[in-house]
Amino acid sequence: MERFDYVIVGAGSAGCVLAARLSEDRRTSVLLIEAGPPDRHVFIHVPAAFPRLFDSHLDWGYRTTPQRALGDRQIFWPRGRVVGGSSSLNAMLWVPGAPADYDAWGAAAGPQWTWASLAPYLRRVAGPLPGAAAPGMLPVSAQVEPNALTRLFLQAARSVGLPALADGAVDEGVAELRVNQVNGRRASAADAYLRPALRRANLTLRTGAHVHRILFEGRRAGGVAYHRGRHLAEATAAREVILCAGAIGSPALLQRSGVGDGTHLGRLGVEVVADRPAVGSGLTDHLVSGIARATRRPISLLRAQSPSALLRYALARRGPLTSPVAEGYGYLRSRRDLELPDLEIVFLPVAFLNEGLNLPRVHGVSLAAVLLKPASRGEVRIASGDPDAAPLIDPSYLSDARDAAVLAEGIRRCQRILSAPPLAGELAEALQPAGLDGEEAVAAALAGASQTIYHPTGTCALGTDARAVLDPDCRVRGTQGLRVVDASAIPEIPRGHTHAATVVLAERAADLILGRSGPSAGSRDADAGAETGPGRASAG
C-alpha cells in the first residue's frame, strides 16, 4: 500500500490540470492514476488522424442504450483511455462558450463559479482575452492550412446573411475554428500541464491502472483500490481522493463504491456508503445532426491519406494532416426572439459518416447543426458492481420535443448554406441522408444521422441545493475527503466545446482545494518547481 497526500483518478483534461497545480507545493505528494497507457501513439499527435483512434485500445468505446428518437440506435461515445484523456482524442477545438453560460454555473453553484470569477482562469489557460496580457498554459492558435472548401463554406454562409464572427464571440456568424496545436501538432492537456509537472519528485503518474473502488473508512475516502493486469493494489490519500474520470467514469466509480441511489445500489448488492440519488443523473450532451454531400473535385480532406500529404507533414508539419477535421463553425438562433444562439453549425471538408467509424473513401463535405442548450436529460447507471462492466448510458436524446424542433431548424439552415454560392458549385449528390432533400432529409437526418459531438456533462453536478451531488467546492455531499473535478461537475452545459470549460473548471477547483483566492503570477507556469528532481512515471 502506497501513501500520498492526494490521489487523483483519471489523467484527462481535468486530471492533468490538478496534478500540475497540486504538485506545485513541493511539500505534498500527488498520485495520478490512469487506466490507459502513455500517450505515445503517433495518431494522437497528428491532428487529422484522431478518428483512427476511435474504438481502439486508447478509447473506452462506450455505446448508449438504444435511443428511441434516433431510430433505436445505440450511439457511439468515444472517450479517451490514455494519458491526456479525451484531450488526446478530440478535435482540438477551442470554443469556451459565452459569459452567460458561466453565469448559469454561478446561479447553480454560487458566486465563485460566475463569469467574473472564471474569466481570469480562461485568460491564464488560453492566453489573453481582448485587452488582457500574459500567455496561457494551453496553446490556442489559428489552423495551419485550412482546406479550400472551408473558405467556400464561409463565403456561402455570408451570402445567406451570416456575418463574420468576431474572435471568441457567441453571436450569429461564422468563422474558422481555433485549435489547441503547436506547429501542426496536437497540444493536449498532457502536453501543456502534465509533462512539465512530471519533472517534480512529488508527482507520480501510474498508467495501466484501473481504479475499481474508493476505499472508505466510514464515510471518509481514505484511498483507492485498483488493478494493473492481474495485480491488485491500494493507494491511500492522507488529504483527499479526487475523481477526474469524466462524466461517465466518475459517477460509475462513485456508484461502484457505494455512493449513489441507495435503492439501485442495493438491488445490485453494492454496500451503500452515502445515499445520493442524483449521482449519475442530469446527463446532458450536445447532439449533432446534419448533411453530407459529395464534391465534384477531389479536394476534400481525403487527400490527407496521400503519400504527398504524409511527406509534407513529416517534413514541414503542413498540409491536410494538420487539419482538426472540423474547420469552420458558426452560431445561429432558431428563433429571432432569443437573446443568445441556441445552435452551432460545424463544417467539415470531409464526408464524416458512420459516427466517424469507417469513413467512406469518397470526397465530400459535411455540415451539421449542434443543439447547444438541450432540454432533454439522461443518466449514467452501473449495471453491476463489476469494475470491468460498461455502465448504462442513456442520454435520452430528443426526449423533450423542443429539442427536436430546434435541431430540425438547424438542419434546414445547413441545407440553405450548402445550396448557396460559391460552395454549391463544388457539390454533387447527397451522401447523408442519401437521395433525399427538403423536409424528408431533415427527418431522416434527425433519426438516422444524429450523433454525439462528444460533450457529456452534468452527472455529478455542482450546486448549492442540498440535493446536488457536489457542493460549491466540488466536495461529494455525504462523504469526507472526496471531490469530483471534471465535466461531470458542470451544472449547465455551455454554448461551446467542453474541453475549454473542463480545463477552466479544474483550474478553479485547484485553487479551491489549495485555499487560493484566484490566479496568481506564481502559478502560471506548470514547470514551476521542476528543479526538485525527476518525477515518477510508471507505464502499464
Side-chain angles (χ1 to χ4, degrees), residues 459-532:
T459 48
C460 298
L462 290 160
T464 55
D465 190 309
R467 293 171 295 182
V469 176
L470 306 181
D471 73 10
D473 289 335
C474 298
R475 295 176 296 211
V476 179
R477 284 190 169 90
T479 71
Q480 293 85 45
L482 180 61
R483 300 193 205 223
V484 177
V485 179
D486 56 32
S488 72
I490 292 175
E492 181 72 25
I493 195 166
R495 292 174 178 82
H497 296 212
T498 48
H499 174 50
T502 300
V503 170
V504 169
L505 182 145
E507 285 272 17
R508 180 68 180 120
D511 277 349
L512 292 172
I513 293 167
L514 295 171
R516 299 192 299 216
S517 59
S520 61
S523 65
R524 291 187 190 279
D525 186 359
D527 200 20
E531 70 279 1
T532 56

Side-chain angles (χ1 to χ4, degrees), residues 116-248:
S117 297
L118 296 175
Y121 293 95
L122 187 61
R123 288 193 290 271
R124 178 169 76 180
V125 168
L129 295 175
M137 293 291 304
L138 270 169
V140 178
S141 66
Q143 296 169 50
V144 172
E145 194 173 321
N147 189 279
L149 290 163
T150 300
R151 183 182 67 253
L152 299 181
F153 154 72
L154 296 173
Q155 293 172 354
R158 290 167 192 157
S159 76
V160 298
L162 289 171
L165 190 64
D167 187 26
V170 180
D171 200 356
E172 287 208 332
V174 291
E176 287 181 7
L177 281 153
R178 296 186 300 161
V179 293
N180 295 126
Q181 291 183 14
V182 175
N183 298 325
R185 193 176 188 271
R186 176 189 294 275
S188 70
D191 294 322
Y193 283 91
L194 182 59
R195 227 170 308 283
L198 280 172
R199 301 172 192 168
R200 304 173 185 149
N202 61 331
L203 174 59
T204 299
L205 169 64
R206 181 140 304 135
T207 58
H210 185 186
V211 174
H212 53 86
R213 185 164 55 92
I214 302 163
L215 302 174
F216 283 99
E217 300 164 2
R219 290 196 170 194
R220 179 170 187 81
V224 299
Y226 64 93
H227 63 265
R228 304 178 81 188
R230 296 183 179 180
H231 177 66
L232 301 179
E234 295 180 357
T236 63
R239 297 188 184 180
E240 293 184 2
V241 173
I242 307 171
L243 305 188
C244 300
I248 301 165

Side-chain angles (χ1 to χ4, degrees), residues 98-101 103 170-172 331-342 373 495:
D101 298 325
D103 283 335
V170 180
D171 200 356
E172 287 208 332
Y331 287 109
L332 305 171
R333 292 176 177 84
S334 65
R335 304 191 323 266
R336 287 292 139 194
D337 60 326
L338 294 176
E339 183 177 352
L340 286 170
D342 57 348
K373 303 304 290 183
R495 292 174 178 82

Side-chain angles (χ1 to χ4, degrees), residues 361-457:
R361 295 190 59 82
V362 57
H363 285 276
V365 303
S366 304
L367 182 58
V370 183
L371 183 66
L372 290 178
K373 303 304 290 183
S376 304
R377 294 291 183 272
E379 64 177 9
V380 173
R381 292 283 184 264
I382 58 171
S384 74
D386 180 357
D388 293 319
L392 300 173
I393 303 167
D394 181 9
S396 294
Y397 287 129
L398 305 185
S399 55
D400 190 299
R402 292 172 293 180
D403 290 348
V406 172
L407 192 53
E409 177 59 22
I411 297 169
R412 294 184 193 103
R413 300 283 289 276
C414 290
Q415 287 178 321
R416 195 176 310 164
I417 294 169
L418 291 175
S419 299
L423 181 59
E426 289 287 350
L427 303 183
E429 72 276 7
L431 299 174
Q432 179 181 276
L436 296 177
D437 201 359
E439 286 303 303
E440 287 184 328
V442 172
L446 279 176
S450 296
Q451 66 162 78
T452 178
I453 202 171
Y454 324 120
H455 299 162
T457 61

